Amino acid sequence: MTISKEFIGVSIEDCIQFAKQKLTPGRFEHSFGVMQVMRELAPLYGLNQSKAMIAGILHDIAKEFAPDDLIKLANENGISLRAEYDEHPLFLHGPISALYVAQKLAITDPYLLDAISRHSYLGDGVALSTSFCWCLRFADMLEPSRDWQDLKSQLKPLAYSGKLGEGAYTLVNWIIPFHESLSLPIHPNI
């Protein structure tokens, strides 16, 4: 698959290779699946397909970083850690992934970086593109290797029919009890 560098300065092939080098095979399979779902969702929500696919393949690039490294990178780069949940890897890997791909791949597109940053929680303030951010969150849950059939059966029809608000509501109402069942923290901006 060939996608031009016209919009972001890096090709999808470059991003796939970067992800393949940085991620474990299982995490790469997940990210590749997210990229595929983003390719499908992009036209439904008026998103640039190249940017959507690149966000998908790179969204978890920092997911496997050590917790101390995530915190160190946040502190070194001015990412605010106001509360204990801000330091949790589950939430911090999104902003650090955005920071990392901006630094390592020279990606500067603010919409793409904002979506990556907000895929693990909604972040602070207003998203640059609500559609882009929620599509990445949907794709993260709907990609083929995920085994959450109860969520997929509810979320997929909504996401694929353009029902962004209903999909967001469904995802949040699933993710809070899911986090509770695993004794994971609940970020106030989940």
Side-chain angles (χ1 to χ4, degrees), residues 166-184:
E166 290 177 55
Y169 181 80
T170 298
L171 178 54
V172 169
N173 280 318
W174 179 87
I175 208 162
I176 290 172
F178 177 73
H179 281 202
E180 289 172 340
S181 75
L182 297 175
S183 299
L184 294 170

Side-chain angles (χ1 to χ4, degrees), residues 18-127:
F18 182 78
K20 194 176 274 191
Q21 292 169 359
K22 300 291 180 187
L23 301 173
T24 61
R27 180 66 49 197
F28 176 77
E29 177 188 358
H30 163 70
S31 295
F32 195 84
V34 173
M35 179 187 75
Q36 291 173 315
V37 175
M38 287 298 284
R39 182 183 64 224
E40 296 166 359
L41 292 177
L44 301 174
Y45 292 91
L47 305 177
N48 176 283
Q49 196 169 47
S50 298
K51 291 178 187 181
M53 292 172 67
I54 287 174
I57 195 69
L58 297 177
H59 80 287
D60 268 354
I61 209 73
K63 179 76 171 179
E64 299 168 325
F65 286 13
D68 289 344
D69 291 339
L70 290 169
I71 292 169
K72 180 181 176 198
L73 285 166
N75 288 328
E76 289 174 353
N77 290 280
I79 295 174
S80 178
L81 303 175
R82 296 176 311 273
E84 189 175 323
Y85 50 74
D86 285 334
E87 296 180 3
H88 196 286
L90 178 64
F91 306 117
L92 190 52
H93 82 274
I96 298 300
S97 291
L99 170 76
Y100 193 74
V101 300
Q103 291 176 344
K104 299 297 182 184
L105 296 173
I107 293 174
T108 59
D109 183 88
Y111 295 93
L112 190 155
L113 295 173
D114 192 51
I116 290 174
S117 182
R118 292 173 182 270
H119 90 273
S120 56
Y121 73 103
L122 292 178
D124 296 322
V126 178

